[in-house]
Amino acid sequence: MKFRGKVWKFGDNIDTDAIIPARYLNIWDPQGLAAHCMEDADPDFVKKMKPGDIIVGGENFGCGSSREHAPIAIKAAGIACVVAKSFARIFYRNSFNMGLPIFESPDLWGKVKEGDEIEVDADAGQIRLIGSAAARLSIQPVPPFMQELIADGGLMNHITKGRKK
Amino acid sequence: MGMTITEKILSRHAGLAEVRPGMLINAKVDIALGNDITAPIAIDAFRKAGGGKVFDREKVVLVADHFAPNKDIDSAEQCKLMRDFALEQKLTHYYDVGEAGVEHALLPEKGIVVPGDLVAGADSHTCTYGAVGAFATGVGSTDLAAAMMTGELWFKVPETMKFVYQGRRRPWVSGKDLILYTIGRIGVDGALYRAMEFTGDAVAGLSMADRLTMANMAIEAGGKNGIFIPDAVTEDYCRNRAERKYTFDTSDPDAKYHSVIAIDVEKIEPQVSFPHLPSNAKGISEVGDVRIDQSIIGSCTNGRIEDLRIAAEVLKGRHIAPHYRLIVIPATPAVYRQAMREGLFDIFLDAGGVVSLPTCGPCLGGYMGILAKGERSVSTTNRNFVGRMGHPGSEVYLAGPAVAAATAVAGRLAGPEQL
Ligand code: SF4
């Protein structure tokens, strides 16, 4: 897995109410949710971003409610992956379960600005900052079980595959 | 080496003699829970994966509480989707308007969750059930789909942080104040991925209502679960309501903890968490002069009869400030009936407040008390994130029922002792 895209930067403790406000939780169609992605953190986010872009977050990204609408909205908006210093646990779990690639990097946040371009190489466990020759950062290795989930295309596919065996 | 209560419950449900923090396990779930917001996505995933029947129709619990009674057409569609599924699957525990209350108040009250259980709920405040000595944690909709299908789920065994509360509580200090203070001390990610075990003399004297409030907010510190060791209070609470046999687990004396945090309860005064994080907690004497527009008393955090009694005690013989809104939301039909019988509704109405039917309502910015730009609400709920209860330019102050009631009278942040 390799992702190359433009960085959108957010701070610490970006909660799921900021990612997809509860007033839109009467929607569950992914495209409908995508239209409000990150709305209470940055009201113009959806207008500004392009598919393939990357969200870079601080500590505890995705804290708050268990709503899977949050990773769904991010994925459906076309964000390639999220890299944060750390993730809240239900968001972390949900992302793997539904197939949104996310990576932990304690150092990236301090090294990029909004609009920079980066390349995340999941297989090599590295992030490259485009345009700055020396800048390569490592990402926290993804546990083998989680890699399996992603390779199978999420938890439900993983289970159905296991059942067929 | 010994195990903590969390590790013991997990090991039993994974069929292992022992588990250690960091292990990935597959565990059986006793209860899989969803609500009108999270269940529709789970049901869709369940059907797409070819799920025919749920693994056990007695163990899948669905509650219409967030946007029910249906607040608009889209919500009505979501509730209907869940209702149709529940009827098709002949679920024994399906709760709709009239029987439904806020899920995390309803399940313990009805004895659906019992000590020693492993509960996975597609709602982050599922951690509430740790109050009765269960391992209970919030998961997502896909997890719920998987649990409904297989009766099992993967978990990473968390490390445990032990909180030791000691000393006497001051007047008007409740479980809510202890947990707001605790989150203020460790931060909103202070217990990230970890179990929070609440112990000490001061919690031994806490009612089940207070324990439910504290375990409820473990997630607000990033915790995977919050848990109390079952004791005589647990036994009293469960004896006549538990639907199934239950197990009291305890932590071994030589169990290993990530950390042990001592909290001197005598120092804690009624707390208020300022916008926009639950960790922005201050003692009531330090809040300054903050004008407030509305009080919400309810939710899975503080919508139980004990909470309503505290609010009524403060409001009795008093009237709320001019142009102020006081909205009381009993969390379940049983709480509603009990409050009505005890005459609490009269007290709230005489004070100039209103009483709503059981629902999550304004807690998550759904309906019945949404804030306009610039408005402020003090709320006995659990989250004060930007836009949580309405316009992104509004503000939520978290507090216990005593402060929410006193603030309604004063029109500014206040505790009962400031009236
Ligand atoms: S009352 Fe609030 S926190 Fe509790 S389940 Fe409902 S929306 Fe969630």
Short mmCIF file of all heavy atoms in Angstrom, two decimals, chain B residues 335-375:
data_model
loop_
_atom_site.label_atom_id
_atom_site.label_comp_id
_atom_site.label_asym_id
_atom_site.label_seq_id
_atom_site.Cartn_x
_atom_site.Cartn_y
_atom_site.Cartn_z
N VAL B 335 -37.74 5.18 35.45
CA VAL B 335 -37.32 6.40 36.15
C VAL B 335 -38.42 7.45 36.04
O VAL B 335 -38.74 8.15 37.00
CB VAL B 335 -35.99 6.94 35.56
CG1 VAL B 335 -35.62 8.27 36.21
CG2 VAL B 335 -34.86 5.94 35.73
N TYR B 336 -39.00 7.53 34.86
CA TYR B 336 -40.06 8.49 34.58
C TYR B 336 -41.22 8.29 35.56
O TYR B 336 -41.69 9.21 36.23
CB TYR B 336 -40.52 8.27 33.14
CG TYR B 336 -41.44 9.30 32.56
CD1 TYR B 336 -40.94 10.37 31.84
CD2 TYR B 336 -42.82 9.19 32.70
CE1 TYR B 336 -41.78 11.31 31.27
CE2 TYR B 336 -43.67 10.12 32.15
CZ TYR B 336 -43.14 11.18 31.43
OH TYR B 336 -43.97 12.11 30.86
N ARG B 337 -41.65 7.03 35.65
CA ARG B 337 -42.79 6.71 36.51
C ARG B 337 -42.46 6.98 37.98
O ARG B 337 -43.27 7.55 38.72
CB ARG B 337 -43.17 5.24 36.32
CG ARG B 337 -44.46 4.84 37.02
CD ARG B 337 -44.67 3.35 36.95
NE ARG B 337 -44.88 2.86 35.59
CZ ARG B 337 -46.09 2.74 35.04
NH1 ARG B 337 -47.16 3.08 35.69
NH2 ARG B 337 -46.21 2.28 33.81
N GLN B 338 -41.28 6.57 38.38
CA GLN B 338 -40.87 6.75 39.76
C GLN B 338 -40.81 8.24 40.13
O GLN B 338 -41.29 8.65 41.18
CB GLN B 338 -39.50 6.07 39.97
CG GLN B 338 -38.96 6.13 41.38
CD GLN B 338 -39.78 5.30 42.36
OE1 GLN B 338 -40.48 4.36 41.94
NE2 GLN B 338 -39.72 5.64 43.64
N ALA B 339 -40.25 9.03 39.23
CA ALA B 339 -40.12 10.47 39.49
C ALA B 339 -41.51 11.10 39.58
O ALA B 339 -41.76 11.98 40.41
CB ALA B 339 -39.31 11.14 38.38
N MET B 340 -42.41 10.61 38.74
CA MET B 340 -43.77 11.14 38.75
C MET B 340 -44.44 10.80 40.08
O MET B 340 -45.04 11.65 40.72
CB MET B 340 -44.54 10.51 37.58
CG MET B 340 -45.87 11.11 37.28
SD MET B 340 -46.47 10.52 35.67
CE MET B 340 -46.62 8.78 35.98
N ARG B 341 -44.29 9.54 40.50
CA ARG B 341 -44.89 9.10 41.77
C ARG B 341 -44.36 9.87 42.96
O ARG B 341 -45.09 10.15 43.90
CB ARG B 341 -44.56 7.62 42.00
CG ARG B 341 -45.42 6.72 41.20
CD ARG B 341 -45.43 5.34 41.85
NE ARG B 341 -46.24 4.44 41.04
CZ ARG B 341 -45.85 3.23 40.67
NH1 ARG B 341 -44.70 2.75 41.05
NH2 ARG B 341 -46.65 2.50 39.96
N GLU B 342 -43.09 10.15 42.91
CA GLU B 342 -42.48 10.84 44.07
C GLU B 342 -42.78 12.32 44.07
O GLU B 342 -42.34 13.05 44.96
CB GLU B 342 -40.96 10.62 44.06
CG GLU B 342 -40.56 9.20 44.38
CD GLU B 342 -39.04 9.00 44.42
OE1 GLU B 342 -38.29 9.99 44.51
OE2 GLU B 342 -38.62 7.83 44.36
N GLY B 343 -43.47 12.79 43.04
CA GLY B 343 -43.82 14.20 43.00
C GLY B 343 -42.70 15.09 42.48
O GLY B 343 -42.76 16.32 42.60
N LEU B 344 -41.67 14.47 41.89
CA LEU B 344 -40.56 15.29 41.40
C LEU B 344 -40.97 16.15 40.21
O LEU B 344 -40.48 17.27 40.04
CB LEU B 344 -39.36 14.41 41.01
CG LEU B 344 -38.83 13.42 42.06
CD1 LEU B 344 -37.55 12.76 41.57
CD2 LEU B 344 -38.59 14.10 43.40
N PHE B 345 -41.89 15.63 39.40
CA PHE B 345 -42.34 16.41 38.24
C PHE B 345 -42.96 17.73 38.70
O PHE B 345 -42.77 18.77 38.07
CB PHE B 345 -43.37 15.63 37.41
CG PHE B 345 -42.79 14.51 36.58
CD1 PHE B 345 -41.44 14.16 36.70
CD2 PHE B 345 -43.57 13.82 35.67
CE1 PHE B 345 -40.90 13.13 35.93
CE2 PHE B 345 -43.04 12.79 34.90
CZ PHE B 345 -41.70 12.44 35.04
N ASP B 346 -43.72 17.66 39.78
CA ASP B 346 -44.33 18.90 40.29
C ASP B 346 -43.26 19.91 40.67
O ASP B 346 -43.39 21.10 40.38
CB ASP B 346 -45.20 18.59 41.53
CG ASP B 346 -46.48 17.86 41.14
OD1 ASP B 346 -47.00 18.15 40.05
OD2 ASP B 346 -46.93 16.99 41.91
N ILE B 347 -42.22 19.40 41.30
CA ILE B 347 -41.14 20.31 41.71
C ILE B 347 -40.50 20.96 40.48
O ILE B 347 -40.28 22.17 40.44
CB ILE B 347 -40.08 19.55 42.55
CG1 ILE B 347 -40.73 19.03 43.84
CG2 ILE B 347 -38.87 20.44 42.83
CD1 ILE B 347 -39.83 18.19 44.71
N PHE B 348 -40.24 20.14 39.45
CA PHE B 348 -39.60 20.69 38.24
C PHE B 348 -40.53 21.69 37.54
O PHE B 348 -40.09 22.77 37.11
CB PHE B 348 -39.22 19.57 37.26
CG PHE B 348 -38.23 18.59 37.84
CD1 PHE B 348 -38.38 17.22 37.65
CD2 PHE B 348 -37.14 19.03 38.58
CE1 PHE B 348 -37.47 16.31 38.19
CE2 PHE B 348 -36.22 18.13 39.12
CZ PHE B 348 -36.39 16.77 38.93
N LEU B 349 -41.80 21.33 37.45
CA LEU B 349 -42.75 22.22 36.76
C LEU B 349 -42.97 23.50 37.57
O LEU B 349 -43.01 24.60 37.00
CB LEU B 349 -44.07 21.49 36.51
CG LEU B 349 -44.00 20.31 35.53
CD1 LEU B 349 -45.30 19.53 35.51
CD2 LEU B 349 -43.64 20.75 34.13
N ASP B 350 -43.10 23.36 38.88
CA ASP B 350 -43.26 24.55 39.72
C ASP B 350 -42.06 25.49 39.60
O ASP B 350 -42.19 26.71 39.72
CB ASP B 350 -43.43 24.16 41.20
CG ASP B 350 -44.80 23.54 41.46
OD1 ASP B 350 -45.69 23.68 40.59
OD2 ASP B 350 -44.96 22.90 42.52
N ALA B 351 -40.91 24.89 39.38
CA ALA B 351 -39.69 25.70 39.27
C ALA B 351 -39.58 26.38 37.91
O ALA B 351 -38.67 27.18 37.69
CB ALA B 351 -38.46 24.82 39.52
N GLY B 352 -40.49 26.01 37.00
CA GLY B 352 -40.45 26.62 35.67
C GLY B 352 -39.75 25.77 34.64
O GLY B 352 -39.44 26.23 33.53
N GLY B 353 -39.49 24.51 34.97
CA GLY B 353 -38.85 23.61 34.03
C GLY B 353 -39.86 22.76 33.28
O GLY B 353 -41.07 22.90 33.48
N VAL B 354 -39.36 21.90 32.37
CA VAL B 354 -40.22 20.93 31.69
C VAL B 354 -39.62 19.55 31.85
O VAL B 354 -38.43 19.41 32.10
CB VAL B 354 -40.38 21.21 30.18
CG1 VAL B 354 -41.29 22.38 29.93
CG2 VAL B 354 -39.03 21.37 29.50
N VAL B 355 -40.48 18.55 31.67
CA VAL B 355 -40.02 17.17 31.74
C VAL B 355 -40.28 16.52 30.39
O VAL B 355 -41.39 16.60 29.86
CB VAL B 355 -40.77 16.39 32.84
CG1 VAL B 355 -40.29 14.95 32.89
CG2 VAL B 355 -40.57 17.08 34.19
N SER B 356 -39.24 15.91 29.82
CA SER B 356 -39.38 15.27 28.51
C SER B 356 -39.51 13.77 28.70
O SER B 356 -39.22 13.24 29.76
CB SER B 356 -38.15 15.59 27.67
OG SER B 356 -37.74 14.47 26.93
N LEU B 357 -39.89 13.08 27.64
CA LEU B 357 -39.93 11.62 27.69
C LEU B 357 -38.49 11.09 27.56
O LEU B 357 -37.59 11.81 27.14
CB LEU B 357 -40.81 11.10 26.56
CG LEU B 357 -40.51 11.67 25.17
CD1 LEU B 357 -39.37 10.95 24.51
CD2 LEU B 357 -41.74 11.64 24.33
N PRO B 358 -38.29 9.81 27.93
CA PRO B 358 -36.93 9.26 27.88
C PRO B 358 -36.37 9.23 26.45
O PRO B 358 -36.98 8.68 25.55
CB PRO B 358 -37.11 7.82 28.40
CG PRO B 358 -38.37 7.84 29.19
CD PRO B 358 -39.25 8.85 28.51
N THR B 359 -35.23 9.83 26.26
CA THR B 359 -34.52 9.84 24.96
C THR B 359 -33.13 10.41 25.19
O THR B 359 -32.88 11.05 26.21
CB THR B 359 -35.27 10.72 23.92
OG1 THR B 359 -34.49 10.79 22.72
CG2 THR B 359 -35.46 12.15 24.42
N CYS B 360 -32.24 10.18 24.23
CA CYS B 360 -30.93 10.84 24.29
C CYS B 360 -31.10 12.32 23.98
O CYS B 360 -30.40 13.17 24.53
CB CYS B 360 -29.98 10.23 23.26
SG CYS B 360 -29.51 8.54 23.62
N GLY B 361 -32.00 12.60 23.04
CA GLY B 361 -32.37 13.97 22.71
C GLY B 361 -31.21 14.93 22.51
O GLY B 361 -30.41 14.79 21.60
N PRO B 362 -31.13 15.94 23.38
CA PRO B 362 -30.15 17.00 23.17
C PRO B 362 -28.71 16.58 23.48
O PRO B 362 -27.78 17.27 23.08
CB PRO B 362 -30.60 18.09 24.14
CG PRO B 362 -31.31 17.36 25.23
CD PRO B 362 -31.97 16.18 24.57
N CYS B 363 -28.52 15.47 24.19
CA CYS B 363 -27.17 15.09 24.64
C CYS B 363 -26.20 15.05 23.48
O CYS B 363 -25.06 15.48 23.59
CB CYS B 363 -27.22 13.73 25.33
SG CYS B 363 -25.59 13.03 25.63
N LEU B 364 -26.66 14.52 22.34
CA LEU B 364 -25.77 14.46 21.18
C LEU B 364 -26.22 15.46 20.12
O LEU B 364 -25.90 15.32 18.94
CB LEU B 364 -25.74 13.04 20.59
CG LEU B 364 -26.91 12.59 19.70
CD1 LEU B 364 -26.49 11.41 18.88
CD2 LEU B 364 -28.16 12.34 20.46
N GLY B 365 -26.96 16.48 20.53
CA GLY B 365 -27.39 17.46 19.55
C GLY B 365 -28.49 16.94 18.65
O GLY B 365 -28.64 17.37 17.51
N GLY B 366 -29.27 15.99 19.16
CA GLY B 366 -30.35 15.41 18.36
C GLY B 366 -31.53 16.36 18.27
O GLY B 366 -31.79 16.95 17.23
N TYR B 367 -32.23 16.50 19.39
CA TYR B 367 -33.41 17.37 19.41
C TYR B 367 -33.81 17.64 20.86
O TYR B 367 -33.22 17.08 21.78
CB TYR B 367 -34.55 16.77 18.60
CG TYR B 367 -35.10 15.43 19.07
CD1 TYR B 367 -36.44 15.11 18.90
CD2 TYR B 367 -34.29 14.47 19.68
CE1 TYR B 367 -36.95 13.89 19.30
CE2 TYR B 367 -34.78 13.26 20.08
CZ TYR B 367 -36.12 12.96 19.89
OH TYR B 367 -36.61 11.76 20.30
N MET B 368 -34.80 18.48 21.05
CA MET B 368 -35.33 18.80 22.38
C MET B 368 -34.31 19.50 23.27
O MET B 368 -33.97 19.02 24.35
CB MET B 368 -35.82 17.53 23.07
CG MET B 368 -37.08 17.04 22.41
SD MET B 368 -38.15 16.22 23.51
CE MET B 368 -37.59 14.56 23.36
N GLY B 369 -33.83 20.63 22.78
CA GLY B 369 -32.90 21.40 23.61
C GLY B 369 -31.61 21.73 22.88
O GLY B 369 -30.55 21.81 23.49
N ILE B 370 -31.72 21.92 21.55
CA ILE B 370 -30.55 22.25 20.72
C ILE B 370 -30.20 23.72 20.95
O ILE B 370 -31.07 24.57 21.12
CB ILE B 370 -30.89 22.00 19.24
CG1 ILE B 370 -31.28 20.53 19.04
CG2 ILE B 370 -29.74 22.37 18.31
CD1 ILE B 370 -30.28 19.56 19.55
N LEU B 371 -28.90 24.00 20.91
CA LEU B 371 -28.43 25.36 21.21
C LEU B 371 -28.19 26.18 19.95
O LEU B 371 -27.69 25.67 18.94
CB LEU B 371 -27.11 25.28 21.99
CG LEU B 371 -27.18 24.57 23.34
CD1 LEU B 371 -25.78 24.37 23.90
CD2 LEU B 371 -28.07 25.33 24.32
N ALA B 372 -28.53 27.46 20.02
CA ALA B 372 -28.22 28.40 18.95
C ALA B 372 -26.78 28.90 19.12
O ALA B 372 -26.17 28.69 20.18
CB ALA B 372 -29.18 29.58 19.00
N LYS B 373 -26.30 29.58 18.11
CA LYS B 373 -24.96 30.16 18.17
C LYS B 373 -24.85 31.05 19.41
O LYS B 373 -25.73 31.87 19.67
CB LYS B 373 -24.75 30.97 16.90
CG LYS B 373 -23.36 31.52 16.76
CD LYS B 373 -23.22 32.20 15.41
CE LYS B 373 -21.84 32.81 15.29
NZ LYS B 373 -21.69 33.51 14.02
N GLY B 374 -23.78 30.89 20.14
CA GLY B 374 -23.54 31.75 21.29
C GLY B 374 -24.26 31.33 22.56
O GLY B 374 -24.02 31.88 23.63
N GLU B 375 -25.16 30.35 22.47
CA GLU B 375 -25.88 29.92 23.69
C GLU B 375 -25.03 28.94 24.49
O GLU B 375 -24.18 28.23 23.95
CB GLU B 375 -27.21 29.27 23.31
CG GLU B 375 -28.25 30.29 22.91
CD GLU B 375 -29.64 29.67 22.82
OE1 GLU B 375 -29.79 28.53 22.31
OE2 GLU B 375 -30.59 30.33 23.24
#
